Amino acid sequence: MALRRNFYKTVTVAAAVAASAVLSLPAAATEISGGTVKIGVLNDQSGPYVDLAGPGSVLAAQMAVDDFGGEVLGAPIEILSADHQNKPDVGSSIVRRWFDADGVDAVADVPTSSVALAVQELVRSSNKVFLISGAASETLTGTACSPNSIQTADDTYALTHGTVEAAVSAGAKKWFFITADYSFGHTIENAARTIIEANGGEVVGSVSHPQNTTDFAQYILQAQASGAQAIGLANAGNDTVGTILQAAEFGVVDGGQQLVGMIMFSSDIKSLGLEAAQGLLLTEGFYWGMSPEAQKFSDRFIEQFKLMPTREQATTYATVTHYLKAIQAAGTDDSEAVMAKMKEMPVTYFGQTGTIREDGRFLHDLTLYEVKSPKDSKNEWDFYNKVADIPADVAFKPMSEGGCPFISK
């Protein structure tokens, strides 16, 4: 763990180009502001989301740059990274410095939706590009949308839809929620409530907890006492892992209640172990075994990082690749031109071809999985049995219902 957390805080393809060197660049590079394309990967590198994002996302972005050849339009590409500590003020301060002093063109990743919402406003006002491959709140391409952003991270609506519908259909009609007390947690609880009620179920209670807490006992006791058939976990990362492990200590599942993870990653299953996680339903947009292309990328990633890529890390790779392709196609790194190209061009996503809507939402198919039992797993990363495909037009909220204010009516 220490090795991964101390992964390069800043990774560069080439040294920063001095002003005199810019003059000697090929003619095409004059279309690149400052002579270098700079991408800042901003995420949690020391807290609850370090395993699902962290240094692994920085590596994924660097892999995308390396696979692109290290330059675009004759200009070098540089990756910077920083730890936002899951605090909007810290994240905003870093991004301001990146824009004002370091010449960063685009910000990528950014798990923790409260940080992403703050960063989105800075990106908009600075006319830069925001590549949201981490934050899951559907408001980022809904009521808080920005013409400067694309959201490739699977959002709260999509990740809850298949999982909750499957659980309700299987008989879980009464629900209680344990929710992380920030915008992401509340957004995902609200999305799940809508699906539960639309399918004839009810939410009998909920409780909120601080992000990155370690003691879930009081919340689990409230959930047990509620009489709910299903306990929805509207949290993520170490918070989800901690809730499930402590729920096992309290005999929640043995007592007849079902745990349902709203947002889960392969890193969570690895931390829990199949003995604790078996039977969990979850929705994933990326899994190393989903296609030959995903397998190939994952083999390269694990060779360098010693862990399989999570959905967020893989999505960061695909998103940075798409951004660089858009710069190449536009012939410039001008934000407006690049955003137009990203929305115009199809997105290559590990064997799938997706699209980006006008509101910035990336659309692709998702899959509902069930976590395998230890006896059914063939190797240490063989976690899931496929339950059902969820087509993109079913998985994601229609743009007409998102409330994005800049969309033409």
Side-chain angles (χ1 to χ4, degrees):
M1 179 66 74
L3 177 62
R4 289 185 287 111
R5 291 187 181 183
N6 291 326
F7 190 80
Y8 305 112
K9 296 294 287 183
T10 301
V11 186
T12 59
V13 174
V17 181
S20 59
V22 172
L23 299 176
S24 65
L25 287 172
T30 61
E31 299 299 324
I32 299 298
S33 57
T36 303
V37 172
K38 294 186 178 183
I39 304 167
V41 179
L42 183 67
N43 61 28
D44 177 358
Q45 299 190 7
S46 57
Y49 305 145
V50 65
D51 289 335
L52 62 89
S57 285
V58 182
L59 171 61
Q62 184 63 46
M63 288 173 67
V65 171
D66 293 344
D67 288 350
F68 210 78
E71 62 178 38
V72 59
L73 298 178
I77 308 162
E78 182 178 345
I79 298 293
L80 293 80
S81 70
D83 184 353
H84 62 37
Q85 302 173 41
N86 299 300
K87 298 175 181 177
D89 58 335
V90 173
S92 296
S93 177
I94 292 166
V95 171
R96 280 195 196 93
R97 184 181 72 246
W98 276 352
F99 289 164
D100 296 343
D102 299 329
V104 166
D105 301 289
V107 178
D109 201 8
V110 197
T112 303
S113 294
S114 56
V115 181
L117 287 162
V119 169
Q120 178 144 281
E121 291 309 306
L122 277 175
V123 172
R124 187 205 308 259
S125 63
S126 301
N127 195 28
K128 301 289 187 175
V129 171
F130 193 12
L131 308 171
I132 310 171
S133 54
S137 175
E138 65 196 66
T139 61
L140 286 159
T141 48
T143 55
C145 69
S146 165
N148 293 72
S149 303
I150 62 168
Q151 186 180 24
T152 51
D154 297 328
D155 64 29
T156 46
Y157 181 94
L159 291 172
T160 57
H161 192 272
T163 307
V164 172
E165 274 201 344
V168 174
S169 297
K173 298 295 186 182
K174 296 174 67 176
W175 288 67
F176 185 96
F177 280 90
I178 297 177
T179 300
D181 193 13
Y182 67 106
S183 59
F184 157 81
H186 295 295
T187 299
I188 204 164
E189 180 186 329
N190 290 336
R193 281 176 177 266
T194 300
I195 298 164
I196 291 164
E197 292 166 1
N199 285 274
E202 64 172 321
V203 177
V204 298
S206 68
V207 63
S208 298
H209 68 80
Q211 187 182 26
N212 204 23
T213 192
T214 57
D215 185 1
F216 294 91
Q218 61 177 307
Y219 314 117
I220 293 167
L221 288 171
Q222 289 182 57
Q224 285 183 302
S226 71
Q229 296 162 304
I231 302 172
L233 307 181
N235 50 22
N238 290 348
D239 287 336
T240 302
V241 171
T243 308
I244 293 172
L245 289 175
Q246 289 182 42
E249 294 174 8
F250 281 83
V252 168
V253 175
D254 291 341
Q257 292 175 298
Q258 181 180 15
L259 293 174
V260 182
M262 300 291 108
I263 303 284
M264 296 198 71
F265 294 81
S266 57
S267 55
D268 301 329
I269 306 304
K270 183 66 173 175
S271 295
L272 286 165
L274 294 182
E275 189 65 41
Q278 61 183 315
L280 279 169
L281 289 174
L282 56 95
T283 299
E284 283 272 29
F286 173 89
Y287 175 51
W288 67 265
M290 70 185 237
S291 67
E293 293 84 355
Q295 174 81 71
K296 183 178 179 181
F297 168 74
S298 299
D299 287 345
R300 293 171 52 216
F301 186 93
I302 197 171
E303 183 177 347
Q304 298 183 62
F305 200 60
K306 311 308 177 189
L307 293 172
M308 281 292 187
T310 65
R311 177 176 71 249
E312 184 165 332
Q313 291 158 351
T315 300
T316 297
Y317 171 87
T319 306
V320 170
T321 298
H322 189 66
Y323 173 64
L324 296 175
K325 287 180 177 179
I327 293 174
Q328 187 76 51
T332 176
D333 67 349
D334 173 76
S335 297
E336 186 174 345
V338 171
M339 285 299 304
K341 280 296 179 184
M342 283 195 291
K343 293 178 180 180
E344 173 189 316
M345 296 166 57
V347 182
T348 301
Y349 191 81
F350 306 105
Q352 294 186 29
T353 300
T355 59
I356 298 174
R357 291 190 316 209
E358 185 183 354
D359 60 357
R361 175 66 259 165
F362 169 50
L363 304 176
H364 66 121
D365 296 344
L366 306 182
T367 304
L368 179 66
Y369 293 103
E370 182 178 46
V371 178
K372 290 184 174 183
S373 67
K375 66 182 179 61
D376 291 331
S377 177
K378 296 181 176 63
N379 60 62
E380 67 170 320
W381 299 103
D382 183 25
F383 295 155
Y384 302 147
N385 282 317
K386 181 178 177 179
V387 176
D389 291 317
I390 308 174
D393 60 351
V394 173
F396 293 94
K397 180 181 285 188
M399 187 164 62
S400 60
E401 298 176 13
C404 177
F406 75 79
I407 298 300
S408 54
K409 304 299 182 183

